[in-house]
Amino acid sequence: MEGKRILRVETRRKDLRFPFPENFNQRIEGAKLTRMGRRAKYLVGELSTGEALIMHLGMTGRFTVSGARHGKFHHAAGEDEKHDHVVFEMQGGARVVFNDARRFGFMDLWTSEALQTYPPFAEMGPEPISNEFSGAYLVEAFKGKKTPVKSALLDQSVVAGLGNIYVCEALFRSGISPVKLAGAIRKDRLETLSVEVRKVIEEAIVAGGSSISDFRQSDGELGYFQHSFQVYDREGEACVVCAKPVKRLVQSGRSTFYCASCQRA
DNA sequence: GCTTGGACCTGATTGC
DNA sequence: TGCAATCAGGTCCAAG
């Protein structure tokens, strides 16, 4: 989409998770998408109109690209038309379709120059792969926190863009118990944690993400990182390090997978 | 002020 | 086989 004009937009329902912003179609049709970027799990497409098209995949959202004669993302149109909610017809012939069965995703518009005031971004912590994110940062961010480290890492105001899978994996790699209170973890452990968080994310990106059921890469192919899970979704299976069974518990309503033997710190 | 739990919505899987 | 209950990658908001 980058560098191309959005010729036409078709919204097939009036809302996703939230209603589309007022005059959504008119505000983006004819605009050129000058730059596609990202903040946490939000896609940010800057438009020639001065507004940014903000898009979130929720849990089951996906974009598929078809119709283009060229381009590495071309693949056949989706088979699940029932959940094709938004279609972008791009300059050059590409059709970019947003499909989201569970409709937890959404689209929004915000002034490009003031993106930091977009409500979800306003209180957001640093990107885990940025220089700002470090052991020293975690020491500050966790100071006095009485919430379990698992919940603290899922908190987007602490660090932006980590989800349940990668938090479980990073804690396992760091040898830190998910129930340990964030404020009670030693500084050297937080240094390790910051390194492992970054490594997990970078490795998952290289592997093309994690396909559990719905997730696909932009070309429709499955991700591969799920084969690298050491604890996530492995309840009862042998720990890759000590062979004891992986355990599951629920924290803040989310499943946590961990090895009680390896994660004691 | 901080933390937790329920809600949002649909589909896949599990258990009776 | 059929149906109901449960669970899922994220985020928001009300209640505690």
Side-chain angles (χ1 to χ4, degrees):
Chain A
M1 294 174 90
E2 198 172 54
K4 297 286 198 293
R5 240 167 239 294
I6 300 170
L7 300 181
R8 200 174 149 268
V9 185
E10 183 186 348
T11 45
R12 297 187 174 170
R13 45 179 303 129
K14 63 182 191 319
D15 62 358
L16 295 170
R17 178 176 179 182
F18 307 117
F20 285 99
E22 212 168 315
N23 302 321
F24 179 71
N25 298 40
Q26 295 91 311
R27 283 159 75 182
I28 59 179
E29 277 179 348
K32 185 174 179 179
L33 201 154
T34 52
R35 182 177 167 273
M36 184 67 90
R38 176 193 63 79
R39 174 74 170 113
K41 297 167 198 160
Y42 298 72
L43 286 160
V44 179
E46 290 176 32
L47 304 175
S48 53
T49 57
E51 290 195 295
L53 172 61
I54 298 169
M55 302 174 283
H56 197 294
L57 300 175
M59 287 166 80
T60 52
R62 74 171 71 154
F63 284 98
T64 53
V65 185
S66 61
R69 289 201 205 123
H70 306 288
K72 65 177 183 173
F73 294 128
H74 177 187
H75 63 96
E79 61 295 335
D80 178 26
E81 281 193 38
K82 187 166 68 152
H83 302 299
D84 286 350
H85 303 308
V86 185
V87 180
F88 297 94
E89 285 177 19
M90 302 302 296
Q91 173 189 19
R95 263 168 77 86
V96 179
V97 178
F98 177 71
N99 177 290
D100 185 7
R102 215 172 152 185
R103 243 185 300 126
F104 277 9
F106 58 87
M107 295 191 187
D108 208 350
L109 290 168
W110 200 262
T111 307
S112 288
E113 278 191 356
L115 275 177
Q116 65 282 1
T117 68
Y118 183 60
F121 296 168
E123 302 294 320
M124 201 172 260
E127 295 285 332
I129 54 174
S130 68
N131 289 334
E132 200 186 337
F133 182 75
S134 64
Y137 170 80
L138 281 179
V139 170
E140 275 306 306
F142 283 1
K143 196 172 279 180
K145 264 207 180 294
K146 294 196 168 63
T147 192
V149 60
K150 161 72 190 306
S151 307
L153 287 174
L154 281 176
D155 182 344
Q156 304 294 297
S157 69
V158 170
V159 51
L162 291 184
N164 203 33
I165 293 175
Y166 302 122
V167 166
C168 290
E169 293 298 317
L171 285 173
F172 174 78
R173 292 173 181 222
S174 307
I176 296 171
S177 165
V179 299
K180 183 103 173 177
L181 299 189
I185 302 174
R186 289 212 321 264
K187 194 180 161 190
D188 61 322
R189 286 291 173 175
L190 293 181
E191 185 59 46
T192 304
L193 179 58
S194 72
V195 171
E196 295 302 332
V197 161
R198 179 185 303 253
K199 278 165 60 180
V200 162
I201 291 294
E202 287 176 345
E203 286 174 31
I205 290 169
V206 170
S210 305
S211 291
I212 294 174
S213 59
D214 304 273
F215 177 79
R216 294 292 186 278
Q217 300 184 59
S218 311
D219 57 1
E221 293 298 308
L222 297 173
Y224 288 96
F225 194 72
Q226 65 276 15
H227 303 302
S228 303
F229 290 171
Q230 294 181 299
V231 284
Y232 185 83
D233 206 21
R234 294 192 67 241
E235 184 182 12
E237 294 178 36
C239 169
V240 295
V241 173
C242 73
K244 295 208 175 78
V246 170
K247 294 193 173 177
R248 182 181 93 97
L249 61 83
V250 175
Q251 295 177 285
S252 307
R254 317 293 305 280
S255 284
T256 299
F257 298 89
Y258 69 108
C259 173
S261 173
C262 295
Q263 293 173 253
R264 291 165 166 281

